């Protein structure tokens, strides 16, 4: 690459523009990224915040609120992006505190103009014959908008973290996607991407739970999630953070803020030591884990939990007990026990529990590789 081309690329990179927001050294800039024309008039727009330091450096994207009822990430970005940060920063932070303003307004998971999960709306890999078969498929208007946003992100971002929450009885954790590669030659690049992503995840500071295996990953279109597409389509170190409770609860909020600042320190965009997260549980096990919706309720009854989110359990430990309406233990299968060693991500039931229902989500042992080939047509 010639010096002239390098200088031109650097010049373009130093000018970060997302929609109407244009970065300015040492300042915070605000603007909009238009996504949907509304039939009643007006436009649906994503709020964009650009915080640019006075010195050059990477471009770090933080997104939140793609599910409109998940709020901790929205508040965390508001609290972290300050005038003080702009003075200390090297490089640029691009923040979109709500990827789903319609869902935020209505306190719903998805926007009212999109049928499916909004976090399956980014571009992603299709098998060769599937590509041909889907050639006449019409994307939703939200998918079209996210495709345009993805192009902008792909051109500018060095790193991306997507902030979510998990449920009303959950503890924060990070989701680590498996890195996919084509068997015709990009495995070395995928290995490097996995290493960089793992470093970033470790710096954030929350316990790590591996994403589903490749088959289920594609079946659920998780490769088209915000971070899944950034990682496996754009090849940008990326991951999803699940910040526990959906409401803006102080302990989770502090954990999110600490993690975001840790990420910027890891990227050498901020000075200072990476800080441990102390406001929420950070269970540490000697093995890698994946998420699993086990155990299931063996009977119907009123459930009483004996564990809390973030608690480490061993196979056979009592997770909960089932009682009848009079408070007595149900006659059979009243004890619900852990089927695996691991830790509790979330509690799934409130009081009423039916046979076969998921009792909790657990992080359990995962011995599967994190680097896997893209599925072939026969898969």
């Amino acid at each position: 690459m010639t010096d002239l081309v390098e200088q031109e690329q650097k010049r373009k990179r130093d000018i970060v523009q997302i929609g109407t927001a244009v970065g300015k050294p040492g300042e915070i800039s605000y603007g909009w990224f238009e996504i949907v024309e509304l039939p009643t008039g007006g436009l649906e727009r994503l709020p964009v915040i650009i915080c640019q330091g006075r010195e050059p450096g990477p471009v770090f994207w933080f997104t939140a609120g793609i599910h409109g009822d998940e709020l901790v990430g929205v508040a965390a970005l508001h609290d972290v992006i300050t005038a003080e940060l702009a003075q200390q920063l090297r490089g640029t932070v691009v923040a979109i505190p709500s990827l789903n303003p319609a869902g935020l307004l209505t306190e719903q998971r998805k926007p009212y103009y999109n049928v499916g999960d909004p976090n399956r709306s980014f571009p992603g890999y299709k098998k060769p014959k599937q590509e041909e078969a889907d050639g006449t498929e019409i994307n939703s208007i939200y998918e079209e908008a996210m495709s345009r946003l993805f192009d902008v992100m792909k051109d500018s971002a060095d790193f991306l973290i997507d902030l979510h929450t998990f449920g009303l009885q959950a503890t924060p954790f990070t989701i680590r996607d498996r890195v996919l590669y084509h068997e015709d030659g990009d495995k070395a690049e995928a290995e490097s991407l996995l290493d960089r992503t793992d470093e970033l995840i470790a710096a954030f500071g929350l316990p790590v739970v591996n994403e589903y295996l490749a088959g289920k990953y594609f079946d659920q279109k998780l490769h088209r999630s915000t971070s899944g597409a950034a990682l496996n389509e754009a090849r940008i170190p990326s991951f999803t953070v699940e910040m526990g409770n959906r409401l803006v609860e102080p302990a989770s909020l502090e954990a999110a803020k600490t993690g975001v600042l840790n990420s910027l320190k890891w990227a050498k965009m901020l000075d200072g030591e990476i800080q441990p997260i102390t406001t929420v549980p950070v269970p540490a096990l000697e093995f890698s884990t994946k998420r699993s919706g086990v155990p299931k309720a063996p009977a119907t009854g009123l459930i009483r939990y004996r564990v809390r989110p973030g608690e480490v359990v061993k196979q056979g430990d009592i997770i909960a007990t089932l009682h009848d309406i009079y408070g007595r233990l149900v006659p059979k299968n009243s004890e619900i026990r852990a089927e695996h060693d691991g830790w509790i991500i979330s509690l799934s039931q409130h009081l009423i529990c039916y046979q076969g229902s998921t009792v909790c989500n657990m992080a359990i042992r995962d011995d599967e590789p994190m680097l896997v080939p893209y599925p072939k047509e026969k898969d």
Side-chain angles (χ1 to χ4, degrees):
M1 185 182 295
T2 66
D3 290 342
L4 186 61
V5 172
E6 288 179 345
Q7 290 174 6
E8 176 64 12
Q9 287 193 351
K10 184 178 184 302
R11 184 190 68 78
K12 290 181 179 179
R13 189 174 183 77
D14 287 344
I15 303 173
V16 178
Q17 179 169 359
I18 313 295
T20 63
V22 181
K24 299 176 183 177
E27 297 183 19
I28 299 175
S29 305
Y30 302 94
W32 303 100
F33 186 89
E34 296 179 357
I35 60 168
V36 174
E37 184 177 355
L38 299 173
T40 53
L43 295 166
E44 178 84 316
R45 308 179 297 177
L46 302 181
V48 180
I49 307 170
I50 299 178
C51 181
Q52 184 172 335
R54 294 190 178 278
E55 299 180 33
V59 178
F60 208 132
W61 276 53
F62 295 93
T63 54
I66 197 165
H67 296 133
D69 56 352
E70 299 179 6
L71 306 176
V72 177
V74 180
L77 295 181
H78 289 166
D79 286 0
V80 167
I81 299 174
T82 63
E84 181 181 11
L85 179 67
Q87 295 301 312
Q88 298 173 347
L89 197 64
R90 289 183 290 274
T92 303
V93 167
V94 174
I96 301 181
S98 176
L99 282 170
N100 177 8
L104 180 63
L105 283 171
T106 57
E107 299 181 336
Q108 299 296 318
R109 182 176 176 85
K110 61 187 180 182
Y112 47 80
Y113 47 77
N114 193 63
V115 175
D117 188 330
N119 201 34
R120 307 292 188 273
S121 300
F122 288 85
Y125 169 80
K126 291 183 179 181
K127 298 177 186 179
K129 288 185 179 179
Q130 182 185 10
E131 185 78 51
E132 181 180 342
D134 291 350
T136 58
E137 182 178 316
I138 299 175
N139 289 335
S140 74
I141 193 168
Y142 186 83
E143 288 176 314
E144 295 288 351
M146 292 304 101
S147 180
R148 288 189 287 107
L149 181 67
F150 180 80
D151 288 341
V152 176
M153 178 267 289
K154 186 176 180 179
D155 287 343
S156 64
D158 293 296
F159 312 104
L160 179 141
I161 294 176
D162 190 35
L163 299 163
H164 290 243
T165 58
F166 199 74
L168 291 178
Q169 300 182 86
T171 193
F173 65 100
T174 57
I175 297 179
R176 177 187 182 216
D177 287 49
R178 298 173 202 274
V179 176
L180 306 166
Y181 66 92
H182 296 283
E183 293 184 291
D184 57 0
D186 69 344
K187 187 174 181 180
E189 178 192 10
E191 288 175 341
S192 176
L193 176 62
L194 176 61
D195 290 343
R196 290 283 281 168
T197 304
D198 282 351
E199 290 176 9
L200 177 56
I201 288 172
F204 194 95
L206 286 175
V208 182
V209 178
N210 296 337
E211 190 52 279
Y212 297 126
L213 299 179
K216 189 171 183 179
Y217 185 70
F218 276 92
D219 288 345
Q220 296 199 7
K221 297 184 178 180
L222 287 162
H223 64 300
R224 297 184 60 193
S225 67
T226 312
S227 61
L231 181 72
N232 281 312
E233 190 74 14
R235 305 315 245 180
I236 297 167
S238 312
F239 63 94
T240 295
V241 179
E242 296 283 359
M243 288 310 309
N245 296 330
R246 289 178 179 169
L247 303 178
V248 182
E249 178 269 324
S252 294
L253 177 59
E254 286 304 312
K257 290 159 58 176
T258 299
V260 168
L261 292 172
N262 281 344
S263 302
L264 295 175
K265 292 172 184 175
W266 172 84
K268 296 182 169 43
M269 296 171 69
L270 280 180
D271 292 329
E273 298 293 323
I274 289 175
Q275 298 298 311
I277 290 174
T278 59
T279 57
V280 298
V282 184
L285 300 178
E286 295 180 351
F287 50 85
S288 295
T289 62
K290 61 185 176 184
R291 53 178 171 150
S292 180
V294 292
K296 308 294 185 184
T300 296
L302 307 183
I303 193 166
R304 293 188 189 177
Y305 284 102
R306 301 295 189 250
V307 294
R308 295 179 179 179
E311 186 172 333
V312 175
V313 298
K314 292 187 175 297
Q315 183 179 9
D317 286 352
I318 296 177
I319 299 291
T321 53
L322 291 169
H323 302 254
D324 66 18
I325 193 62
Y326 300 105
R328 303 170 299 192
L329 291 172
V330 298
K332 295 181 180 180
N333 300 317
S334 62
E335 292 182 341
I336 305 174
R337 295 179 179 270
E339 299 173 4
H340 306 268
D341 294 347
W343 59 270
I344 306 298
I345 294 174
S346 69
L347 308 181
S348 302
Q349 307 298 320
H350 293 274
L351 180 62
I352 303 298
C353 183
Y354 291 96
Q355 182 178 359
S357 299
T358 298
V359 171
C360 64
N361 285 280
M362 280 190 61
I364 65 173
R365 181 185 292 273
D366 180 24
D367 295 324
E368 298 296 325
M370 291 303 300
L371 195 68
V372 294
Y374 277 97
K376 298 178 181 178
E377 188 58 45
K378 65 179 180 180
D379 292 343

